[in-house]
Amino acid sequence: MKIESAGTSAAGGGHAATYDRIGVGYREVRRPDPRLAALIAEALGDARTVVNVGAGAGSYEPQDREVTAVDPSRVMLDQHPGTRKVRAGADQLPFADGAFDAAMAVMTVHHWPDPARGLAELRRVSRRQAVFTWDPEHVTELWLFEEYLPEVGAREHATFTPLSVVTGALDAHTVLPFPVPHDFTDGFRAAFWRRPESYLDPVVRAAGSTFASLPASVVEPAIARLREDLRSGAWQRRHAALLERESVDYGYRLVLAGA
């Protein structure tokens, strides 16, 4: 299927460059979790036409709607199974006002150089919006960043779009928390909070922007410390209570706006 191109604007360039680099093999690790998929599908309500902005490989797109995927990265769109694909940045969506019943965006707003403008574009082209994001002001932090890679935690707290900006730009009416289940299938950021050995796998680490933000000289020694702590049992002793949890609220939120 041919990918339509609206040109890759400056606002989409950073996202495109990141995912052109890490996107190969993305679908192997980033498998949509049915629980989050159900939550997003419910949020889309009766919408028949949906635009998925920052669509990547198409995770969480409802199968019973007409979905148009938008992403600035050709590598990601090449992995997308859909038939309606447009290469463009979020800041300049090549669609008419009100072209879609709903717009969705999943873990992508923080990649947009101008999030407020991109969110305004979601509102312009759709009557309903559903945005899944992470709140950098949430107090519970993943142990990986507290104990092994504080550099990643600091960077993400600085670069993720504050939840207040997302809700304000969308004029949101609902914010739903999404505690991450221990067996969550989508390998983003906090997915493996109860499966620490997963972070030892370079394929897992390569499938997201979290680790791509730092050089190997920082990441590899931290992973070596984690490997040793798992071997010795030190990690298990520190996190015995965590190993009994079914889910943890790490600050992931589904923001809903429009009618």
Side-chain angles (χ1 to χ4, degrees):
M1 171 56 60
K2 180 180 178 181
I3 297 173
E4 297 180 21
S5 178
T8 303
S9 68
H15 172 87
T18 296
Y19 279 92
D20 281 347
R21 185 174 70 254
I22 69 174
V24 178
Y26 184 90
R27 293 185 70 191
E28 301 299 320
V29 176
R30 302 296 298 272
R31 293 177 291 114
D33 188 276
R35 291 157 290 195
L36 179 55
L39 188 66
I40 293 172
E42 182 178 359
L44 294 173
D46 62 357
R48 298 306 306 166
T49 59
V50 179
V51 60
N52 184 13
V53 179
S59 296
Y60 303 107
E61 292 180 357
Q63 300 301 305
D64 58 345
R65 327 287 176 100
E66 179 183 299
V67 180
T68 298
V70 177
D71 200 282
S73 169
R74 181 171 293 277
V75 170
M76 296 308 299
L77 287 179
D78 282 346
Q79 298 182 68
H80 192 290
T83 59
R84 300 176 180 87
K85 299 187 279 189
V86 177
R87 189 176 178 219
D91 67 318
Q92 292 181 314
L93 296 178
F95 310 112
D97 295 359
F100 300 93
D101 294 332
M104 59 183 286
V106 178
M107 292 300 288
T108 180
V109 173
H110 58 290
H111 290 298
W112 304 349
D114 191 344
R117 183 173 174 182
L119 293 165
E121 280 287 271
L122 295 193
R123 295 183 70 184
R124 181 183 67 78
V125 303
S126 66
R127 62 176 173 83
R128 174 180 299 165
Q129 300 82 42
V131 174
F132 186 66
T133 188
W134 177 68
D135 179 7
E137 297 178 352
H138 187 72
V139 294
T140 302
E141 179 61 283
L142 179 66
W143 53 264
L144 180 67
F145 305 137
E146 285 187 332
E147 300 171 15
Y148 299 94
L149 281 167
E151 299 89 347
V152 172
R155 178 189 179 279
E156 295 205 336
H157 279 274
T159 59
F160 258 82
T161 309
L163 186 64
S164 59
V165 171
V166 177
T167 57
L170 291 174
D171 191 21
H173 55 69
T174 304
V175 178
L176 301 174
F178 182 76
V180 181
H182 73 92
D183 55 352
F184 194 62
T185 63
D186 190 347
F188 63 62
R189 199 176 186 277
F192 305 108
W193 60 268
R194 215 180 84 174
R195 294 167 287 167
E197 64 283 351
S198 298
Y199 293 114
L200 303 180
D201 187 343
V203 174
V204 169
R205 299 198 302 273
S209 61
T210 294
F211 292 98
S213 66
L214 291 175
S217 60
V218 173
V219 173
E220 290 178 1
I223 296 302
R225 292 195 300 273
L226 173 59
R227 181 179 290 105
E228 175 56 26
D229 282 355
L230 289 171
R231 186 201 63 77
S232 68
W235 186 94
Q236 293 86 339
R237 289 189 292 273
R238 280 199 308 273
H239 297 288
L242 194 65
L243 291 171
E244 298 178 357
R245 300 280 299 273
E246 292 298 310
S247 65
V248 176
D249 183 358
Y250 280 116
Y252 293 94
R253 300 291 183 262
L254 182 61
V255 180
L256 309 181

